Amino acid sequence: MAYLKPDKPEKVFVPALREAKEKGEKLVCLTAYDYPTARIVDEAGVDIILVGDSMGNVIHGYGNTIPVTLDEICSATKAVKRGSHRALIISDMPYGSFHTGDDEAVRNALRLMKDGGAEAVKLEGGRNRVGLVKRLVDEEIPVVAHVGLTPQSVHKMGGYRVQAKTADAAKTLIEDAKMLEEAGAFAIVLELVPREVAEIVTNELSISTIGIGAGAACDIQVLVLHDLIGFTFGRQPRFVRQYANVSEVITNAITRWMDDVKTGNYPSEAESYGFPEEARKEMKA
Ligand code: KIV
C-alpha cells in the first residue's frame, strides 16, 4: 500500500500548537481508534490524532458517548500509539472518569498516559472543570478543554444542538474559555458554536482553538474520521464534508467476494495450497 509522505516529518509535541498559532499556520486533527486508521492518518500527515469518545457512536454503535469506558479508550490509545509516529496523540477522558473527585481523575488520566501512551488528555466542561484542569496540569498532564456542545451532557442538553446562540450564552462560553486557558489548558475544542463566537475565542485566547462545526477561524480543524470518509450511517451534521464513501467501497468488495464464492471463482488454485508431490506418493504407497 502506498502512503502519502507528510511534508513535515518531525514529531508533533504540545508546544508546536502555540508555535503554529503564532505563525498563523492551520493544523489538522482527526480521530482514530485503532492501528490501521492511525497509520493511515499519521502517514497522511495529520498533525493531531484524537482518540475520541466519539468511538461510542461510530465504532461501538452505542448511539452516544455515555457508555464509553476508560478501558475502551485506553486500549484504543495503545493501538493508535503503535500506528503513529508523528502526530500528537490526545485521548478523551470518558464520561465518569473525571466526575468522582480530582484524585480519581488524575489516576485515570495518568493511566491513559502511562498505559495507553497518550501525550495529552481532553475533558469536557467549562468553569466547573477549572480546578480539575489546574490539578491535572500541576501533575504534568497536558490538558485540552472542550466547550460548546459537550456530547457527554446529551441528556442534560436534550440533544445535539448549536450552543452559545444568545449573547448571554456566548459571553459565558467566552469567559469559560478564558478561565480554562488560565487554568493551564494548552488547547480548547469548540464544538458546534456560531463561527462569530469561535472567532472571538480564537482571537482572545493565546492557546489554540480546535473547531468542529465552529467555522473557519479556529486555529485547528477536527473531524471524526468516519464522517470524513463516509463510514457512518444516517444523516450527517451540516459541518461534515464527506470526501469518500468507504461504506460503498466495503459493500462492493463484500458483494464481489460473495459472488465469486458462489460461482466457484474463489478461491482459485493460486489462492490455495497444493499437497506436495512426495507426500502424495507416500499417501498412495
Ligand atoms: O470524541 C470526539 O471525537 C470529540 C471530537 C468530536 C472533538 O470529542
Side-chain angles (χ1 to χ4, degrees), residues 32-244:
Y33 321 109
D34 58 37
Y35 173 83
T37 46
R39 269 200 72 166
I40 292 170
V41 167
D42 190 72
E43 292 179 21
V46 168
D47 306 292
I48 303 165
I49 295 181
L50 173 64
V51 185
D53 62 356
S54 52
M55 68 164 60
N57 300 78
V58 295
I59 66 163
H60 292 297
Y62 290 137
N64 60 47
T65 61
I66 302 292
V68 175
T69 65
L70 192 71
D71 283 348
E72 285 166 340
I73 296 277
C74 196
S75 156
T77 305
K78 284 184 194 173
V80 166
K81 181 75 174 182
R82 285 191 288 266
S84 57
H85 302 285
R86 177 179 174 269
L88 178 72
I89 299 174
I90 302 172
S91 292
D92 243 335
M93 298 282 293
Y95 184 63
S97 70
F98 59 98
H99 301 74
T100 55
D102 288 2
D103 286 343
E104 173 80 355
V106 170
R107 248 191 307 279
N108 290 336
L110 288 174
R111 189 166 154 227
L112 291 179
M113 297 196 62
K114 285 170 69 76
D115 296 352
E119 294 154 357
V121 299
K122 173 171 87 58
L123 56 93
E124 295 182 7
R127 63 193 66 199
N128 57 330
R129 300 295 172 212
V130 161
L132 175 57
V133 171
K134 272 195 189 128
R135 173 76 195 281
L136 290 165
V137 173
D138 276 352
E139 309 298 0
E140 276 73 54
I141 300 167
V143 177
V144 176
H146 183 155
V147 297
L149 176 73
T150 47
Q152 292 174 10
S153 314
V154 60
H155 297 309
K156 187 172 142 196
M157 289 179 165
Y160 301 111
R161 296 194 188 87
V162 180
Q163 301 296 304
K165 278 174 73 177
T166 65
D168 277 352
K171 278 183 200 155
T172 302
L173 183 139
I174 294 162
E175 275 170 20
D176 282 8
K178 286 182 178 168
M179 290 165 87
L180 289 159
E181 169 171 47
E182 216 156 283
F186 73 93
I188 184 163
V189 170
L190 305 177
E191 180 163 358
L192 224 53
V193 300
R195 53 184 171 271
E196 294 84 353
V197 177
E199 187 169 359
I200 295 171
V201 177
T202 303
N203 289 339
E204 296 202 359
L205 263 52
S206 53
I207 60 171
S208 303
T209 54
I210 307 178
I212 177 161
C218 297
D219 301 301
I220 300 169
Q221 291 292 326
V222 59
L223 276 180
V224 170
L225 175 72
H226 289 64
D227 295 342
L228 175 110
I229 63 173
F231 194 16
T232 43
F233 305 93
R235 228 185 60 170
Q236 293 301 311
R238 97 151 68 156
F239 61 83
V240 170
R241 191 182 295 176
Q242 195 183 308
Y243 286 81

